[in-house]
Amino acid sequence: MLEVLRKFTLAESPSTEKAFADRCAEVIAAEWDKRGLRVNLIPQKARGSHIRIVWKPTELRSRGQLLVLGHYDTVYATGTLKKMPFRIAGGKAYGPGVFDMKAGIVQALFAFDALQQTKTHPGKQIVFLWTSDEEIGSESSRNLLESEARRSDAVFVLEPALGPKGLLKTARKGVGEAELIVHGKASHAGLAPEKGVNAVHELTLQIARICDWNDSRRGVSVNADVIKGGTRVNVIAEHARAQIDLRALRNSDMRALEEKLRNLKPILRGAKLEVRGGFSRVPMERNVSAALFARAKKLASQMGISLGEATAGGGSDGNLTAALGTPTLDGLGAVGDGAHSAHEHVVVKKMPERAAILAALLATS
Ligand SMILES: [Zn+2]
């Protein structure tokens, strides 16, 4: 497993560098190809190819499909390997993208091997889909992964597990980004302040209002994280804008939040507001994962592994498949820490364990 992980990691694959991502896709595809599986590389204009691998059941009567989903793109620019080489130390494997989520792809590969070697034949077709742009919002892969998820009875997402205990992610917050734009009126701050409408003032008043919508108990968070406005200190600001990060655990809260944003009214006389954007990934509510999680927990306990669950604050492609109503279990990938940071790593001895859990899930679905 480590040898394959090393190979995948050495093929650097930032979402935004197509030539490198394409090369990585070939390296990954070759491993599946070796196993005699049907591998499709689906080329993209501006991104790396998506990889679709199909395993067909021998049983002719079999029906249905299982989707094993993940991404091979990383947030690291090419050349990162020089500062952050692939290495194994103290039972951990380090390197750019190992945890998020190349080790997950390796585990899926070995889960498949385990099924083959034990002559376990899942009753359903299995599609493994490794995409190239999850880290930048899945624009080029969204249609593809949604259409596969629609055809599937379950989706297993190989994103990293949560925390050292390897918790599965049975709920994920919905994620969005909105922009609040304020149009005011410029005027000389000294000669005619009363003729201006200060867009910066209006924006700060609106942000104070928006702050009150935070509700950590319900998992709702609203954060204006980037603001811009004004031109010069003696000119009453004509324009101001804020980019706002939106998160919610429930669909109803998400809709309420969008509604409240759209209904914002100006506070200063003469100011005008414009709201753009909203949620791009809807929440993955726990009920979409509950049955799959119960089965995973039971299968794991038969192997002497205790499996827990958690809610993730970030979104993944699991949000997209869950939104279609397809049962989705996320966080099945590697156990480790430090995603998107210099100490990103996976715990080596957990890799076969996680592969075994996935194999058992595929065999019993
Ligand atoms: Zn990821």
Side-chain angles (χ1 to χ4, degrees):
M1 293 181 95
L2 287 173
E3 190 40 47
V4 180
L5 180 59
R6 192 181 70 87
K7 233 187 263 178
F8 288 0
T9 310
L10 294 189
E12 289 180 288
S13 51
S15 329
T16 50
E17 295 185 51
K18 176 178 160 60
F20 285 89
D22 277 339
R23 179 74 201 105
C24 180
E26 280 168 22
V27 171
I28 294 170
E31 284 299 320
W32 296 84
D33 202 48
K34 268 188 211 165
R35 279 129 174 116
L37 283 158
R38 224 178 73 205
V39 183
N40 278 319
L41 283 174
I42 306 163
Q44 303 300 310
K45 253 195 211 102
R47 306 287 171 230
S49 301
H50 305 312
I51 313 165
R52 180 176 177 273
I53 301 140
V54 184
W55 176 84
K56 283 200 179 296
T58 36
E59 281 276 329
L60 284 173
R61 296 173 286 121
S62 69
R63 271 215 176 139
Q65 174 174 301
L66 304 173
L67 178 59
V68 180
L69 180 62
H71 63 92
Y72 70 84
D73 61 318
T74 74
V75 297
Y76 303 93
T78 47
T80 302
L81 269 174
K82 284 197 203 89
K83 294 170 281 174
M84 217 178 132
F86 181 79
R87 66 189 173 96
I88 295 155
K92 296 167 179 171
Y94 294 81
V98 288
F99 181 45
D100 187 8
M101 51 150 276
K102 285 178 173 171
I105 303 177
V106 176
Q107 288 167 196
L109 191 67
F110 281 76
F112 177 76
D113 284 349
L115 294 174
Q116 294 294 96
Q117 284 160 16
T118 56
K119 300 195 164 40
T120 309
H121 302 296
K124 289 177 173 153
Q125 164 163 301
I126 306 173
V127 171
F128 298 88
L129 186 61
W130 310 122
T131 65
S132 64
D133 66 347
E134 194 273 348
E135 295 290 3
I136 52 169
S138 310
E139 205 182 311
S140 80
S141 55
R142 185 167 181 157
N143 283 342
L144 177 66
L145 72 92
E146 285 183 339
S147 69
E148 290 298 345
R150 265 191 211 100
R151 280 197 280 275
S152 300
D153 304 305
V155 183
F156 302 106
V157 186
L158 275 287
E159 285 282 348
L162 202 87
K165 291 202 178 111
L167 306 178
L168 300 194
K169 294 166 179 174
T170 50
R172 275 187 184 273
K173 285 186 179 179
V175 185
E177 190 187 314
E179 195 172 16
L180 176 59
I181 303 164
V182 181
H183 304 277
K185 194 169 170 233
S187 183
H188 193 296
L191 296 179
E194 70 287 353
K195 288 192 179 145
V197 178
N198 193 318
V200 169
H201 287 189
E202 173 70 20
L203 184 66
T204 58
L205 293 169
Q206 294 294 345
I207 289 173
R209 189 185 257 177
I210 287 170
C211 267
D212 284 342
W213 300 348
N214 280 289
D215 187 343
S216 59
R217 217 172 29 86
R218 287 184 69 84
V220 173
S221 73
V222 189
N223 282 291
D225 293 315
V226 182
I227 58 170
K228 276 188 193 138
T231 50
R232 287 169 185 279
V233 71
N234 59 354
V235 178
I236 297 211
E238 187 171 14
H239 297 291
R241 58 179 64 209
Q243 279 170 285
I244 304 164
D245 182 274
L246 309 167
R247 311 222 169 208
L249 209 46
R250 296 177 177 87
N251 279 301
S252 55
D253 287 338
M254 173 187 77
R255 280 189 293 268
L257 211 51
E258 286 188 326
E259 180 89 16
K260 281 199 273 192
L261 268 173
R262 308 248 167 270
N263 287 334
L264 280 176
K265 297 279 178 296
I267 294 168
L268 299 179
R269 192 201 298 221
K272 288 197 190 79
L273 304 181
E274 191 186 332
V275 177
R276 290 185 192 158
F279 278 82
S280 53
R281 282 177 176 148
V282 308
M284 180 175 105
E285 295 192 355
R286 191 183 176 278
N287 56 9
V288 185
S289 311
L292 286 178
F293 176 71
R295 188 147 57 81
K297 194 176 160 73
K298 198 167 149 210
L299 291 166
S301 83
Q302 287 166 3
M303 301 179 210
I305 304 164
S306 88
L307 209 54
E309 62 178 314
T311 293
S316 88
D317 287 337
N319 294 58
L320 301 177
T321 62
L324 303 170
T326 309
T328 297
L329 192 56
D330 202 340
L332 276 164
V335 180
D337 199 8
H340 303 190
S341 83
H343 69 289
E344 176 160 351
H345 66 266
V346 298
V347 177
V348 173
K349 74 172 194 306
K350 294 278 187 187
M351 290 176 68
E353 214 173 78
R354 306 293 284 192
I357 295 168
L358 177 62
L361 278 165
L362 293 173
T364 55
S365 289

